[in-house]
Amino acid sequence: MLFPSQPDRSFSFPPFPVDLRFGAGIAADLGTLARSLGARRAFLVTDPGVVMAGLTPRLSEPLSASGVEVEVFDEVRQDSGSQLIMRGAAEARRFDADLVVGLGGGSALDSAKAIAAMATNGGSILDYVGLNKLPADPLPSICVPTTSGTGSEVSIWSVLTDDDTGMKVSAGGQRFMATVALCDPDLTLTLPPAVTAATGMDALAHASECYVNRACQPVSGALALQSIAFAGRSLRKAVHDGADRAARCDMMLASVLAGIAMNPTRLGLAHALAMPLGSWNLKIPHGTIIALTLPSVMAFNVEAAPERYAAVAQALGADTRGMPPLEAARLSVEMVARLKDDLGLPRGLGECGMNEDWVERIVAEAMKSGNVAVNPRETSPAQLAEVLRASI
Ligand SMILES: [Fe+2]
């Protein structure tokens, strides 16, 4: 399926300055890579789960073997708070770090990029919420994902929690991109099925929300469709047999390609809803929110962009030959809903603490998101509330 012809529409694709390295086992090259960046003192940002999983030595050992001194900062929590970012930046400065290494899922990598930024910039990370607000270059950073979903290692975004309001916010721009993305799918082999499922659905949502949205262009479209195909081929396999190296490789590719695709496009309603649903004392994990809202978002959108959703169905592996576009498009909604059900995820947001009392507040915040403006179907607050209710 080709991206639709748009002879009267021009587009640009922003510079992609991240040095992308991909391959099973390449985490072992980290020391050489760090030295090639001139690093002598690496500040390794991660979370306690990654430490418990025994992954930290996979990075600290090659660094030490190359003569790079390492300090581990393992205080990252889900959607790290602004105070934690500032404490991490102070620790990195005290250690006199010349490199920040992020190891983990989205929260760890987003925190590493924010700490690298705040190690060289004054004020608070909250001063730089929004796009392109960071005045000075960050410390060099190497992001090493241990999940396949976030795309943070190649994205312009760093998501965190504003400790003053409890709201999730994001700071973005070229200066929030990693210097190097070191993508080693072997680091995901021990990721538990539930996390594999939720983060994998996040990668699929990055690709599909990007592909159908109004800001998508042929370059993002090509990356997004390929990402959907990798997820369609391998997400079930990666969840049901975590040791399947080919499936783990596919899922990391799905995550990386979607992460690059979405940089200039933003996403859609699932990601608009995700910021408030991950905020306050709800704090539902991002991948879970996305997995549980994506089917109802797609059902709402499908008639506004049938050709695009038909391409999503085809990329997911459906034989849509001879099908009218709207029928093929509706098939994509069914396929994603079935995929979600097959992965052992919660049935709805109600199982995660969400209820009717939250709807108005969530919708009010979500409507402020730039992701609503690019969604393929124009969306009123009342319509978004219905999409949200359908996900409870
Ligand atoms: Fe996401």
Side-chain angles (χ1 to χ4, degrees):
M1 183 75 70
L2 285 175
F3 197 79
S5 292
Q6 297 177 317
D8 297 322
R9 188 180 158 203
S10 58
F11 74 90
S12 60
F13 196 86
F16 180 70
V18 180
D19 180 353
L20 171 63
R21 312 283 179 107
F22 191 103
I26 61 164
D29 301 340
L30 179 62
T32 317
L33 196 54
R35 288 301 295 265
S36 75
L37 295 173
R40 295 270 174 185
R41 301 174 70 78
F43 191 68
L44 201 166
V45 177
T46 189
D47 65 55
V50 170
V51 174
M52 288 277 287
L55 294 174
T56 321
R58 304 275 283 272
L59 299 196
S60 58
E61 284 172 6
L63 285 168
S64 301
S66 296
V68 178
E69 202 170 323
V70 184
E71 178 156 303
V72 176
F73 178 79
D74 64 359
E75 296 178 33
V76 170
R77 296 292 180 273
Q78 180 190 322
D79 307 314
S80 287
S82 41
Q83 288 167 18
L84 185 131
I85 299 297
M86 296 311 296
R87 193 163 72 247
E91 291 287 309
R93 277 197 301 270
R94 180 197 49 72
F95 177 61
D96 198 21
D98 51 17
L99 174 71
V100 174
V101 177
L103 173 68
S107 296
L109 303 190
D110 283 355
S111 299
K113 295 194 295 181
I115 287 170
M118 295 317 299
T120 57
N121 282 273
S124 159
I125 182 68
L126 297 175
D127 299 334
Y128 307 116
V129 167
L131 194 56
N132 294 325
K133 294 199 173 160
L134 198 69
D137 283 338
L139 282 180
S141 61
I142 301 178
C143 281
V144 187
T146 61
T147 66
S148 293
T150 168
S152 175
E153 65 279 6
V154 291
S155 90
I156 61 171
W157 297 106
S158 174
V159 178
L160 65 144
T161 301
D162 177 341
D163 286 324
D164 298 335
T165 63
M167 267 298 294
K168 277 178 77 170
V169 293
S170 45
Q174 297 256 320
R175 288 193 168 117
F176 281 97
M177 294 181 106
T179 313
V180 180
L182 190 64
C183 302
D184 181 345
D186 279 358
L187 295 180
T188 65
L189 288 171
T190 54
L191 193 67
V195 188
T196 304
T199 52
M201 288 295 289
D202 189 28
L204 176 60
H206 292 160
S208 60
E209 292 213 294
C210 165
Y211 187 75
V212 301
N213 86 21
R214 297 178 189 201
C216 195
Q217 20 62 28
V219 178
S220 289
L223 294 165
L225 270 195
Q226 191 70 49
S227 166
I228 293 166
F230 281 126
R233 180 165 77 181
S234 290
L235 179 50
R236 277 187 182 84
K237 289 184 198 166
V239 170
H240 295 133
D241 177 10
D244 184 331
R245 292 180 81 221
R248 291 296 195 180
C249 182
D250 274 4
M251 286 312 301
M252 192 160 271
L253 284 168
S255 171
V256 167
L257 295 181
I260 301 170
M262 71 183 174
N263 276 331
T265 66
R266 291 188 181 250
L267 293 164
L269 297 185
H271 276 83
L273 289 166
M275 293 296 262
L277 283 164
S279 296
W280 307 304
N281 52 344
L282 268 177
K283 273 200 153 308
I284 306 171
H286 178 78
T288 305
I289 297 168
I290 296 299
L292 303 188
T293 54
L294 187 61
S296 30
V297 166
M298 290 176 70
F300 172 73
N301 280 341
V302 73
E303 286 181 33
E307 284 83 8
R308 304 271 187 110
Y309 278 107
V312 171
Q314 199 178 55
L316 283 170
D319 182 357
T320 60
R321 282 172 299 182
M323 248 184 227
L326 189 55
E327 192 182 325
R330 290 204 173 106
L331 183 58
S332 77
V333 185
E334 277 170 43
M335 291 174 86
V336 168
R338 211 178 314 134
L339 178 60
K340 183 218 108 184
D341 289 344
D342 288 350
L343 299 183
L345 288 154
R347 290 179 57 82
L349 293 169
E351 291 179 32
C352 310
M354 170 67 191
N355 58 44
E356 177 63 33
D357 296 348
W358 283 97
V359 170
E360 200 177 325
R361 192 176 180 192
I362 299 285
V363 168
E365 284 300 327
M367 287 300 294
K368 298 176 191 167
S369 165
N371 290 315
V372 176
V374 294
N375 188 66
R377 181 170 170 190
E378 207 156 315
T379 312
S380 70
Q383 287 169 320
L384 188 59
E386 282 314 303
V387 170
L388 177 55
R389 286 189 183 101
S391 311
I392 297 177

